[in-house]
């Protein structure tokens, strides 16, 4: 196995163009497991660790441009205000050691339906900035996941950054696992209230072949909140609306039975998490959250 160690982003893109089957390595917390277990033996490993800009981020007016290799620990500690949903999801990833190494670029590269960043990115609204020697493109997060552990990257492309919309309202992330730490999700749910546009977005993890949004649930809730004047009044969401939202979220799942849980359990748990996270975020919105932009 050849180890390519580009010193700059340009060198990395050139190396990927020359060796399209080269496998990038960032934190290594996914790829090294595969190599150690002999599940994969790539001809070339493309080490991205010398490219410092991949571990940097910029906070803009409307979004955060998060370098592909920014570790979860930094998101938790430095970007909690801008990206609360992703910060909460980051907290649930593995252990401090893994969170110091692993990042969102690697989670997207692996594109496991159980990756914890995905529901938070789907709920917040994000675009993946990918680049090759041919140029740069922004892939909407909804179009990024193309199958089980498959993504929309072309063979010569690398992930440069993720553009994530800054929170304009409360966000939550909930994960079911067999214990509180070092656990891959049995299923997970992310929600983001967007008072500025009077919309709610969601993300479901580990309950379909890819991470997905509960679109029918979002549409139902958006209409119910608008028609009932909830955004203006901040009144409590009626149990029937919350129940219908939960049922539609459950219906968005297309899970399988596996070692971590049954399909039936996953559907049920996603409904529970949808109802709970809606309750938590709405309570936050009714309180301090309502002073946020667009809610006045
Ligand atoms: C013990 C343990 C526990 C874990 N627990 C969790 C958990 O709770 N939740 C969770 O979501 N994950 C978990 N993981 C998986 C892993 O930590 C995450 O997926 C992490 O985000 C991977 O990031 P990384 O930088 O280490 O990726 P790497 O292992 O370096 O790479 C992962 C994949 O992404 C590709 N890649 C990396 N960077 C780029 C780039 N810039 N452009 C294109 N492709 C790229 C690589 O080629 C590879 O295919 C766990 C792993 C371990 C070992």
């Amino acid at each position: 196995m050849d180890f390519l160690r580009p010193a700059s982003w340009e060198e990395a893109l050139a190396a990927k163009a020359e060796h399209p089957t080269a496998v990038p390595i960032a934190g290594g917390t996914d790829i090294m497991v595969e190599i150690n277990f002999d599940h994969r033996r790539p001809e070339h490993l493309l080490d991205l660790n010398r490219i410092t800009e991949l571990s940097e981020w910029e906070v803009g007016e409307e979004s955060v441009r998060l370098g592909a290799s920014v570790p979860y620990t930094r998101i938790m500690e430095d970007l909690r205000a801008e990206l609360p949903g992703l910060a909460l999801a980051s907290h649930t990833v593995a252990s401090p050691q893994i969170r110091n190494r692993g990042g969102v670029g690697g989670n997207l590269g692996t594109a496991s339906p159980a990756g914890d960043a995905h529901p938070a990115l789907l709920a917040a609204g994000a675009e993946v900035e990918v680049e090759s020697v041919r140029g740069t493109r922004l892939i909407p997060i909804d179009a990024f996941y193309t199958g089980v552990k498959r993504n929309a990257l072309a063979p010569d492309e690398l992930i440069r950054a993720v553009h994530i919309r800054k929170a304009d309202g409360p966000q939550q992330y909930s994960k079911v696992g067999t214990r509180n730490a070092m656990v891959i999700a049995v299923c997970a749910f992310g929600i983001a209230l967007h008072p500025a546009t009077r919309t709610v977005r969601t993300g479901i993890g580990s309950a379909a072949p890819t991470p997905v949004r509960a679109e029918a649930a979002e549409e139902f809730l958006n209409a119910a909140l608008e028609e009932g004047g909830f955004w203006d009044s901040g009144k409590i969401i009626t149990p029937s609306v919350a129940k219908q939202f939960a049922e539609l979220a459950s219906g968005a799942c297309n899970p399988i039975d596996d070692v971590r849980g049954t399909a039936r359990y996953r559907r049920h748990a996603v409904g529970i998490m949808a109802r709970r996270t809606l309750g938590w975020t709405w309570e936050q919105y009714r309180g301090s959250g309502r002073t946020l932009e667009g809610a006045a």
Side-chain angles (χ1 to χ4, degrees):
M1 193 183 323
D2 276 347
F3 198 59
L4 308 171
R5 294 202 72 211
S8 67
W9 181 239
E10 289 67 33
E11 274 183 39
L13 294 179
K16 192 71 172 118
E18 194 182 341
H19 306 285
T21 58
V23 174
I25 176 165
T29 60
D30 269 326
I31 196 68
M32 286 313 298
V33 176
E34 291 188 24
I35 291 172
N36 284 342
F37 281 100
D38 235 351
H39 292 159
R40 207 162 171 184
R41 194 122 302 258
E43 208 180 324
H44 298 94
L45 266 186
L46 180 60
D47 180 13
L48 301 176
N49 282 282
R50 290 167 77 195
I51 303 163
T52 50
E53 61 261 43
L54 291 182
S55 303
E56 293 166 359
W57 66 88
E58 296 148 42
V59 179
E61 276 283 297
E62 295 191 345
S63 62
V64 175
R65 182 175 183 248
L66 184 76
S69 302
V70 174
Y72 293 113
T73 305
R74 295 267 60 79
I75 298 169
M76 287 155 52
E77 291 180 2
D78 300 327
L79 290 165
R80 178 168 296 277
E82 294 85 356
L83 308 175
L86 187 61
L88 286 168
S90 301
H91 261 289
T92 75
V93 174
S95 62
Q97 295 87 340
I98 300 286
R99 294 196 289 266
N100 284 338
R101 293 289 310 166
V104 172
N107 219 232
L108 288 167
T110 299
S112 159
D116 282 305
H118 312 311
L121 295 179
L122 286 164
E127 290 177 314
V128 186
E129 180 186 334
V130 305
E131 198 171 339
S132 70
V133 290
R134 296 175 290 118
T136 303
R137 61 187 180 122
L138 288 175
I139 307 174
I141 192 68
D142 301 67
F144 188 78
Y145 311 106
T146 55
V148 181
K149 296 196 173 184
R150 296 176 74 88
N151 63 38
L153 281 182
D156 61 345
E157 284 178 326
L158 293 171
I159 301 167
R160 170 64 187 83
V162 191
H163 299 243
I164 309 158
R165 251 190 265 157
K166 278 163 65 175
D168 62 323
Q171 302 185 349
Q172 273 292 344
Y173 182 75
S174 181
K175 170 173 170 180
V176 173
T178 45
R179 55 188 181 202
N180 274 342
M182 282 297 281
V183 72
I184 300 290
V186 173
C187 52
F189 193 82
I191 189 168
L193 305 191
H194 298 287
T197 49
R198 294 178 173 229
T199 52
V200 175
R201 282 178 63 113
T202 60
I204 297 174
S206 215
T210 65
V212 288
R213 277 169 64 199
E215 289 186 44
E218 292 176 14
E219 278 165 27
F220 160 76
L221 185 62
N222 289 338
L225 294 180
E226 199 57 56
E227 280 160 23
F230 285 88
W231 290 107
D232 290 325
S233 67
K235 63 186 173 191
I236 293 172
I237 290 181
T238 49
S240 64
V241 168
K243 184 165 176 274
Q244 178 77 2
F245 173 69
E247 281 172 11
L248 289 167
S250 197
C253 302
N254 179 20
I256 53 166
D257 293 333
D258 68 12
V259 285
R260 295 203 303 278
T262 62
R264 191 157 166 260
Y265 176 76
R266 287 184 157 107
R267 270 198 207 95
H268 172 74
V270 164
I272 302 282
M273 288 189 290
R275 189 168 46 74
R276 282 188 190 157
T277 55
L278 174 61
W280 296 335
T281 47
W282 193 256
E283 272 313 300
Q284 223 180 317
Y285 172 70
R286 280 159 44 78
S288 59
R290 273 194 82 216
T291 57
L292 289 164
E293 184 196 338

